[in-house]
Amino acid sequence: MKKIWILFLLQLVILAILKPFITDLEFSSLYFVFIHSILTILILLQYKTKLKYLFILGFLLRVFTMFWDIYFHNIFNLPNSGVDSEMYYYYAVQISNYESFSNLFTRGGLYSFINGVMFIFIGTQRIIGQYLNVIFGLNVIILVFKILNLLNIDDSKKLISIAILAVFPNSLIMSGIFLRESIITFLATISLYYFTLWFLTNKNKYMFHSILFVGLASAFHSGMIALFLGYAFSFLFYSSKYNNFIFSKRTIFTFLLLLFVFIFSYFRYQEVFFAKFTKLDQIEDYFTTVNSRLGGSAYLKFLKIDSPLLLVLFGPIKFIYFYIAPLPIDWRNIFDVITFLFDSLLYLYIMIKISDFVLNEKNKFSTVYKNYVFSLIMIIVFVSIIFGSGVGNTGTALRHRQKFISNFIVLLALINLSKKELKK
């Protein structure tokens, strides 16, 4: 991974130096991508695992998706490519021209700011901006592979998990178009990697790293604070010494520490981390958000939640819908059917397996694995509460749940382990 990033940054420096002499920015972008792609494949071939070919496949598919979005969108426009992606690119160009440079918090946010700063040095080269997302997407695959290695997952289960992640349609799209989802998924996966290290080693430095990357992800989208709440469940109550969730002085101290960090961050950096939620000053505002439905892909139109009691009773339906929409009762056209078959169905299957684990299968797991699975489930619960509250249509849900695909893939690998594999 490091070699891939070092080469990318080195090429950026060279491109910035040569910028005054470049007359054709598009050609330089294509040359940049071609050279880095060849070098990336050579680096991937050095991995001592047969899964390296899946890494390469996932990488090439993401490059193909990027080129399709840029050059062939008139034939078929990829889902979620259009209004928002053009908005992010527009503000990146504005920043590169110093027209919005003084205001980090344009509508394009930190994502447009980073690309805009990069464009200042290398010129407005959109291909490289989208190729950066391709690299983030590739690194998500590699990080999930490393997480599965930490958990000593059987090779056959790793093969299935990495294969799904490599070719998962929504992951390909989000890694190939000009949206912030790819970098957020990358940061969320790094936080999961360090959370796993903490869970297995109980070293506080890994807890700090996990929280740090959640904070970085929250800078791109404030809803990512849901990860912090999910991790806090384990940080507070899990004891590696006793291999169980318990209350102790240590958990109380950790709670106070995390509470301090959360409160300090809220009051000191709420403009950065909580911009989306600072508008919810009153309970009525929250219920307005819960009931908001935008676009033709809106779901649960009949469900109106306007009180805490109704939120407790019917909120879980909306939270679950966030992961599995659109269900057959919501299908409007062939694209809804495709979305369900190639996106929602995976989440639905994993959620069914989670239910089976909770009700029937948890006893076959070792204590550590069982507690780790419960921790991942709590993360998914908090994510569904935060994002499920603010999302009311399939298109938006499709984008947001992609941010947590790594959590689901790791869960899938774990809950599909056989008794023989667990014993091993």
Side-chain angles (χ1 to χ4, degrees):
M1 272 178 40
K2 291 181 180 178
K3 291 180 181 178
I4 294 173
W5 283 113
I6 291 172
L7 286 171
F8 184 86
L9 295 174
L10 181 61
Q11 284 187 233
L12 282 183
V13 172
I14 295 173
L15 196 57
I17 294 173
L18 297 178
K19 177 187 172 184
F21 309 100
I22 296 175
T23 57
D24 189 339
L25 288 179
E26 184 175 16
F27 175 79
S28 69
S29 296
L30 292 173
Y31 187 74
F32 179 103
V33 170
F34 175 76
I35 294 298
H36 192 270
S37 296
I38 296 298
L39 295 174
T40 296
I41 292 174
L42 293 176
I43 292 172
L44 294 176
L45 286 172
Q46 295 177 3
Y47 277 81
K48 296 179 180 179
T49 171
K50 293 181 180 179
L51 296 184
K52 62 188 175 184
Y53 299 109
L54 285 177
F55 299 164
I56 295 173
L57 175 62
F59 172 65
L60 292 177
L61 287 175
R62 282 159 175 76
V63 172
F64 173 81
T65 304
M66 177 193 73
F67 279 118
W68 183 276
D69 181 65
I70 294 173
Y71 292 109
F72 303 105
H73 61 271
N74 57 317
I75 299 175
F76 173 73
N77 198 41
L78 296 172
N80 280 306
S81 177
V83 178
D84 282 352
S85 59
E86 295 306 312
M87 178 271 293
Y88 285 118
Y89 178 67
Y90 169 79
Y91 282 108
V93 173
Q94 292 288 95
I95 290 170
S96 70
N97 294 329
Y98 299 97
E99 296 178 23
S100 301
F101 188 78
S102 61
N103 184 11
L104 171 59
F105 303 104
T106 62
R107 191 182 170 198
L110 186 57
Y111 178 68
S112 291
F113 181 82
I114 290 175
N115 278 280
V117 172
M118 182 173 68
F119 290 165
I120 289 175
F121 293 101
I122 67 172
T124 306
Q125 303 192 49
R126 178 169 182 160
I127 296 176
I128 296 179
Q130 289 187 217
Y131 182 70
L132 179 60
N133 281 349
V134 170
I135 300 302
F136 283 130
L138 170 63
N139 278 265
V140 168
I141 298 174
I142 297 174
L143 281 167
V144 170
F145 171 73
K146 290 186 174 184
I147 293 171
L148 297 181
N149 280 342
L150 289 174
L151 297 169
N152 292 318
I153 300 299
D154 183 81
D155 288 343
S156 62
K157 296 300 185 295
K158 280 193 289 191
L159 174 64
I160 295 172
S161 300
I162 298 301
I164 292 174
L165 190 57
V167 303
F168 195 56
N170 201 32
S171 294
L172 296 179
I173 293 171
M174 293 303 163
S175 298
I177 62 180
F178 206 92
L179 285 179
R180 61 185 176 177
E181 266 61 35
S182 189
I183 186 172
I184 296 175
T185 305
F186 170 71
L187 293 170
T189 306
I190 294 181
S191 73
L192 178 62
Y193 173 76
Y194 281 114
F195 172 78
T196 305
L197 281 172
W198 172 82
F199 203 94
L200 297 175
T201 67
N202 195 37
K203 293 183 179 179
N204 288 331
K205 67 176 182 179
Y206 295 133
M207 179 178 68
F208 171 78
H209 290 152
S210 181
I211 295 173
L212 173 63
F213 283 103
V214 170
L216 291 175
S218 300
F220 287 90
H221 191 287
S222 52
M224 297 303 292
I225 198 64
L227 280 179
F228 173 83
L229 299 175
Y231 292 150
F233 176 82
S234 295
F235 292 153
L236 300 179
F237 305 119
Y238 179 70
S239 171
S240 60
K241 180 179 180 180
Y242 299 102
N243 288 331
N244 208 345
F245 292 97
I246 60 174
F247 291 93
S248 66
K249 292 181 180 180
R250 174 182 173 276
T251 60
I252 295 174
F253 172 77
T254 305
F255 169 76
L256 294 176
L257 176 63
L258 293 178
L259 184 63
F260 170 78
V261 171
F262 183 83
I263 294 175
F264 174 80
S265 299
Y266 182 86
F267 287 104
R268 181 65 179 84
Y269 300 108
Q270 59 179 315
E271 291 283 330
V272 180
F273 292 98
F274 306 100
K276 186 173 183 178
F277 297 102
T278 50
K279 297 179 181 179
L280 303 181
D281 294 325
Q282 299 178 354
I283 190 64
E284 291 83 359
D285 296 325
Y286 176 76
F287 290 121
T288 299
T289 301
V290 171
N291 291 299
S292 66
R293 298 174 181 87
L294 303 174
S297 61
Y299 53 73
L300 296 178
K301 296 179 182 179
F302 63 89
L303 185 60
K304 183 175 178 61
I305 299 175
D306 55 9
S307 71
L309 177 60
L310 289 177
L311 180 64
V312 172
L313 292 176
F314 300 110
I317 299 176
K318 197 170 189 299
F319 302 155
I320 293 174
Y321 239 84
F322 167 69
Y323 289 121
I324 61 178
L327 289 179
I329 59 174
D330 304 310
W331 291 351
R332 302 161 300 152
N333 49 49
I334 188 61
F335 294 107
D336 283 343
V337 178
I338 293 173
T339 299
F340 177 78
L341 293 177
F342 293 97
D343 192 271
S344 305
L345 200 57
L346 174 65
Y347 295 96
L348 180 59
Y349 171 75
I350 296 175
M351 292 179 75
I352 292 173
K353 295 291 289 186
I354 289 173
S355 300
D356 185 49
F357 164 83
V358 174
L359 297 175
N360 305 310
E361 299 293 323
K362 60 180 180 294
N363 291 329
K364 79 177 185 181
F365 280 69
S366 67
T367 304
V368 174
Y369 271 32
K370 180 170 62 178
N371 291 333
Y372 181 77
V373 171
F374 270 121
S375 296
L376 293 186
I377 292 173
M378 290 306 300
I379 293 170
I380 289 174
V381 168
F382 278 107
V383 166
S384 68
I385 292 173
I386 298 296
F387 279 90
S389 298
V391 175
N393 69 84
T394 299
T396 306
L398 195 66
R399 280 174 55 176
H400 288 321
R401 65 195 184 205
Q402 164 62 27
K403 297 176 175 69
F404 310 99
I405 185 65
S406 301
N407 299 71
F408 278 91
I409 293 297
V410 173
L411 258 177
L412 177 63
L414 282 167
I415 58 184
N416 272 334
L417 292 176
S418 66
K419 291 183 179 180
K420 182 179 179 181
E421 290 168 333
L422 286 168
K423 184 177 180 181
K424 178 182 177 182

